[in-house]
mmCIF file of all heavy atoms in Angstrom:
data_model
loop_
_atom_site.group_PDB
_atom_site.id
_atom_site.type_symbol
_atom_site.label_atom_id
_atom_site.label_comp_id
_atom_site.label_asym_id
_atom_site.label_seq_id
_atom_site.Cartn_x
_atom_site.Cartn_y
_atom_site.Cartn_z
ATOM 1 N N LEU A 267 -18.099 -0.637 20.174
ATOM 2 C CA LEU A 267 -17.937 0.720 20.650
ATOM 3 C C LEU A 267 -19.321 1.340 20.624
ATOM 4 O O LEU A 267 -19.958 1.422 19.565
ATOM 5 C CB LEU A 267 -17.001 1.499 19.726
ATOM 6 C CG LEU A 267 -16.736 2.961 20.095
ATOM 7 C CD1 LEU A 267 -16.008 3.061 21.424
ATOM 8 C CD2 LEU A 267 -15.930 3.644 18.996
ATOM 9 N N ASP A 268 -19.820 1.729 21.802
ATOM 10 C CA ASP A 268 -21.187 2.253 21.910
ATOM 11 C C ASP A 268 -21.165 3.754 21.658
ATOM 12 O O ASP A 268 -20.899 4.552 22.549
ATOM 13 C CB ASP A 268 -21.765 1.939 23.288
ATOM 14 C CG ASP A 268 -23.256 2.250 23.372
ATOM 15 O OD1 ASP A 268 -23.785 2.843 22.401
ATOM 16 O OD2 ASP A 268 -23.876 1.903 24.379
ATOM 17 N N ARG A 269 -21.416 4.129 20.414
ATOM 18 C CA ARG A 269 -21.337 5.533 20.034
ATOM 19 C C ARG A 269 -22.543 6.334 20.505
ATOM 20 O O ARG A 269 -22.562 7.550 20.418
ATOM 21 C CB ARG A 269 -21.209 5.633 18.505
ATOM 22 C CG ARG A 269 -19.864 5.091 18.026
ATOM 23 C CD ARG A 269 -19.675 5.236 16.548
ATOM 24 N NE ARG A 269 -18.288 4.905 16.189
ATOM 25 C CZ ARG A 269 -17.953 4.148 15.165
ATOM 26 N NH1 ARG A 269 -18.903 3.641 14.391
ATOM 27 N NH2 ARG A 269 -16.698 3.909 14.901
ATOM 28 N N ALA A 270 -23.555 5.629 21.001
ATOM 29 C CA ALA A 270 -24.742 6.321 21.508
ATOM 30 C C ALA A 270 -24.574 6.701 22.967
ATOM 31 O O ALA A 270 -25.440 7.319 23.563
ATOM 32 C CB ALA A 270 -25.980 5.448 21.338
ATOM 33 N N GLY A 271 -23.439 6.303 23.558
ATOM 34 C CA GLY A 271 -23.227 6.599 24.970
ATOM 35 C C GLY A 271 -23.683 5.439 25.833
ATOM 36 O O GLY A 271 -24.280 4.474 25.367
ATOM 37 N N GLY A 272 -23.406 5.503 27.107
ATOM 38 C CA GLY A 272 -23.732 4.410 28.011
ATOM 39 C C GLY A 272 -25.217 4.268 28.253
ATOM 40 O O GLY A 272 -25.958 5.220 28.277
ATOM 41 N N GLU A 273 -25.637 3.018 28.432
ATOM 42 C CA GLU A 273 -27.023 2.721 28.804
ATOM 43 C C GLU A 273 -27.000 2.011 30.149
ATOM 44 O O GLU A 273 -27.746 1.080 30.392
ATOM 45 C CB GLU A 273 -27.681 1.823 27.745
ATOM 46 C CG GLU A 273 -27.797 2.464 26.372
ATOM 47 C CD GLU A 273 -28.412 1.524 25.350
ATOM 48 O OE1 GLU A 273 -28.750 0.385 25.741
ATOM 49 O OE2 GLU A 273 -28.570 1.903 24.183
ATOM 50 N N GLY A 274 -26.109 2.459 31.022
ATOM 51 C CA GLY A 274 -25.946 1.751 32.284
ATOM 52 C C GLY A 274 -24.893 0.672 32.120
ATOM 53 O O GLY A 274 -24.416 0.401 31.035
ATOM 54 N N GLU A 275 -24.523 0.055 33.205
ATOM 55 C CA GLU A 275 -23.487 -0.974 33.165
ATOM 56 C C GLU A 275 -24.061 -2.270 32.615
ATOM 57 O O GLU A 275 -25.076 -2.769 33.085
ATOM 58 C CB GLU A 275 -22.938 -1.211 34.586
ATOM 59 C CG GLU A 275 -22.176 -0.035 35.138
ATOM 60 C CD GLU A 275 -20.895 0.220 34.359
ATOM 61 O OE1 GLU A 275 -20.205 -0.743 33.996
ATOM 62 O OE2 GLU A 275 -20.594 1.396 34.100
ATOM 63 N N ARG A 276 -23.398 -2.820 31.575
ATOM 64 C CA ARG A 276 -23.798 -4.115 31.028
ATOM 65 C C ARG A 276 -22.814 -5.163 31.518
ATOM 66 O O ARG A 276 -21.671 -4.864 31.862
ATOM 67 C CB ARG A 276 -23.827 -4.067 29.499
ATOM 68 C CG ARG A 276 -25.106 -3.456 28.955
ATOM 69 C CD ARG A 276 -25.141 -3.578 27.438
ATOM 70 N NE ARG A 276 -24.272 -2.603 26.799
ATOM 71 C CZ ARG A 276 -24.671 -1.380 26.462
ATOM 72 N NH1 ARG A 276 -25.911 -0.987 26.711
ATOM 73 N NH2 ARG A 276 -23.834 -0.556 25.881
ATOM 74 N N ALA A 277 -23.233 -6.405 31.472
ATOM 75 C CA ALA A 277 -22.400 -7.487 31.993
ATOM 76 C C ALA A 277 -21.073 -7.598 31.256
ATOM 77 O O ALA A 277 -20.067 -7.999 31.807
ATOM 78 C CB ALA A 277 -23.152 -8.819 31.899
ATOM 79 N N GLY A 278 -21.076 -7.212 29.977
ATOM 80 C CA GLY A 278 -19.863 -7.364 29.187
ATOM 81 C C GLY A 278 -18.966 -6.155 29.187
ATOM 82 O O GLY A 278 -18.031 -6.081 28.412
#
Side-chain angles (χ1 to χ4, degrees):
L267 180 64
D268 190 352
R269 292 183 171 135
E273 297 178 1
E275 293 294 319
R276 278 186 284 271

